[in-house]
Amino acid sequence: MHFDTKAVHAGVEPDPSTGAIMTPIFQTSTYVQKSPGDHKGFEYSRTQNPTRFALQDSIAALENANHGLVFASGLAAIDAVIKLLKPGDEVISGNDLYGGTYRIFTKIFEDFGIKFHFIDMDDVSKIEGYINENTKLIWLETPTNPMMNIIDIAAAASIAKKHKVLLGVDNTFASPALQNPIDLGADIVMHSVTKYLGGHSDVVMGALAMNDKELYERLAFIQNSCGAVAGPQDCFLVLRGIKTLHLRMERHCENGAKIANYLKNHPKINKVYWPGFEDHPNHDIAKSQMKGFGGMISFTFHEDDMQRSFEVMERFKVFALAESLGGVESMANHPATMTHGAIPKEERMKVGLLDSLIRLSVGIENAEDLISDLEQAIG
Ligand SMILES: *Cc1c(COP(=O)(O)O)cnc(C)c1O
């Protein structure tokens, strides 16, 4: 089935009791049993909830995976993945990643005896130099946040397979409409559903999808045991959001290309980071593993002046100055002080995340209005 048809239909069946075309919001904590253990497959909503199950099936279908799990946030999904590990285990992670991911790795799980190596994965062959008998997981984001580097998922997957290590890919920036890591050999794909999957800036949620049944069962056990499940109302909102994911992504990509090119030709702007440019260092990999280049763009000015970037952001009228991304509305973010404030400055500088860098999440508005807004704000 084509992606567009899956976005509209996957996971969703008419409600068996009424025929309701939309999956009902099963706002219930528990389910009545006829006799102890004699029930309809639903006992307690941390463990089973029909609205959540529909969404899990939908996300699994979009990622061409056999199984899906949804969590109370993207970080709760990452938390569940790391709980597959034990003290002494090691993780090799990309060094340009969401600030909250860096924070949970270093400030929570290092205290539990798990060791993280943060490395530049632009050239994935570097991963092998960090693999030893304790390595259990390779974790990467692509495109990376906020530098828009592209990591070769298939090449990382073959390294992971060779060494019998799990590969987890945070696919938040691309969304399943543009990139499907499971097809490229990843073991686990993760989403901050908060972003493109939800798409309307009204839900915080996370998801995992995977093919392997045993891996799914271990993660479902963690989901139920640790309890960071997504609520039914939020699952309903995301089921609704997903129905237009393919249409939204088309416009995000179209507007993204227009704005990236506008910024690239702007005399006051130094660098523009967007994987769609032919001179992007890994453009060819982006072209082969993504169906489009997305609406996430970062840029810097000629002089690295934070105050000046603040002034530009204060002048935006259409772009909303906010953390988060992937909503229908355009947003601007200052990673150094907002989303990536948890990363020490020397770590940021290593990947080129300057104080003046502004990250845009280009929405689905009219591109001319967005360009006029940039025009008046940048001056
Ligand atoms: C937002 C984000 C997360 C964290 O997700 P939450 O839903 O905010 O917990 C993880 N990875 C990436 C790439 C993100 O953008």
Side-chain angles (χ1 to χ4, degrees):
M1 205 184 272
H2 291 91
F3 186 86
D4 322 35
T5 312
K6 286 196 285 190
V8 176
H9 293 286
V12 180
E13 298 286 338
D15 175 49
S17 62
T18 60
I21 192 162
M22 294 310 304
T23 307
I25 304 169
F26 283 90
Q27 194 75 47
T28 187
S29 60
T30 191
Y31 308 84
V32 176
Q33 309 194 7
K34 228 167 142 187
S35 171
D38 182 2
H39 54 71
K40 300 183 162 104
F42 294 89
E43 298 150 287
Y44 186 65
S45 274
R46 174 165 27 72
T47 323
Q48 309 106 346
N49 181 280
T51 320
R52 192 174 88 227
F53 280 7
L55 177 60
Q56 292 184 163
D57 290 349
S58 166
I59 292 175
L62 297 184
E63 284 293 7
N64 300 325
N66 292 335
H67 307 282
L69 291 166
V70 297
F71 294 84
S73 70
L75 281 170
I78 294 173
D79 177 70
V81 173
I82 305 301
K83 283 173 177 160
L84 293 166
L85 310 182
K86 290 192 294 299
D89 286 349
E90 297 188 13
V91 178
I92 302 169
S93 165
N95 67 352
D96 177 26
L97 74 169
Y98 178 65
T101 307
Y102 180 83
R103 183 175 55 204
I104 193 173
F105 287 176
T106 57
K107 295 280 164 42
I108 304 291
F109 284 111
E110 274 182 2
D111 286 350
F112 285 75
I114 294 164
K115 189 167 172 190
F116 295 87
H117 302 272
F118 296 97
I119 70 165
D120 172 7
M121 290 188 180
D122 252 19
D123 171 7
V124 282
S125 67
K126 288 185 192 149
I127 295 172
E128 279 197 300
Y130 292 83
I131 293 184
N132 61 43
E133 72 272 16
N134 296 323
T135 310
K136 295 289 151 58
L137 174 71
I138 297 168
W139 185 262
L140 62 87
E141 276 177 33
T142 182
T144 66
N145 180 6
M147 302 311 297
M148 309 301 155
N149 291 320
I150 297 293
I151 298 169
D152 187 335
I153 299 171
S158 67
I159 293 170
K161 289 226 163 30
K162 180 171 154 202
H163 296 275
K164 299 194 167 54
V165 173
L166 289 175
L167 172 65
V169 176
D170 181 338
N171 200 27
T172 300
F173 266 38
S175 92
L178 301 185
Q179 178 172 278
N180 299 118
I182 299 269
D183 291 345
L184 300 166
D187 298 289
I188 302 172
V189 51
M190 173 263 158
H191 281 281
S192 170
V193 174
T194 315
K195 316 293 169 52
Y196 287 107
L197 280 165
H200 296 75
S201 307
D202 51 9
V203 170
V204 172
M205 193 189 290
L208 300 176
M210 68 296 295
N211 269 342
D212 186 71
K213 185 155 188 276
E214 195 190 315
L215 183 60
Y216 160 71
E217 281 167 356
R218 283 169 71 202
L219 286 162
F221 182 81
I222 293 168
Q223 182 198 44
N224 183 45
S225 302
C226 299
V229 291
Q233 176 104 28
D234 286 353
C235 291
F236 174 86
L237 286 170
V238 175
L239 279 166
R240 170 193 270 214
I242 283 175
K243 290 182 195 296
T244 55
L245 177 64
H246 52 301
L247 297 176
R248 288 187 280 110
M249 288 314 294
E250 246 175 66
R251 181 60 84 84
H252 285 300
C253 290
E254 205 181 291
N255 283 356
K258 287 181 185 159
I259 284 168
N261 283 300
Y262 164 78
L263 292 170
K264 196 170 193 170
N265 294 318
H266 198 293
K268 292 192 178 160
I269 287 168
N270 183 22
K271 282 197 173 153
V272 184
Y273 300 92
W274 183 66
F277 291 134
E278 276 175 25
D279 60 358
H280 182 285
N282 280 336
H283 176 69
D284 289 343
I285 298 167
K287 237 168 102 177
S288 72
Q289 70 185 18
M290 300 176 78
K291 296 188 195 90
F293 303 112
M296 295 302 300
I297 302 165
S298 296
F299 64 96
T300 55
F301 294 97
H302 288 298
E303 63 286 1
D304 189 33
D305 180 349
M306 170 136 73
Q307 195 48 45
R308 192 219 159 125
S309 291
F310 276 26
E311 284 161 19
V312 169
M313 288 182 283
E314 286 161 14
R315 282 194 289 267
F316 282 136
K317 294 193 171 77
V318 182
F319 281 87
L321 177 57
E323 299 208 7
S324 201
L325 59 108
V328 290
E329 56 287 283
S330 292
M331 287 181 231
N333 165 56
H334 184 247
T337 57
M338 295 167 67
T339 45
H340 293 62
I343 302 179
K345 182 160 178 167
E346 60 275 18
E347 289 298 317
R348 281 198 281 111
M349 290 300 162
K350 277 189 210 160
V351 300
L353 204 180
L354 301 180
D355 285 342
S356 70
L357 185 135
I358 295 175
R359 187 192 77 187
L360 301 179
S361 168
V362 177
I364 64 169
E365 302 96 332
N366 185 294
E368 282 174 27
D369 293 333
L370 297 176
I371 289 171
S372 310
D373 196 35
L374 288 163
E375 186 98 45
Q376 65 80 24
I378 295 167

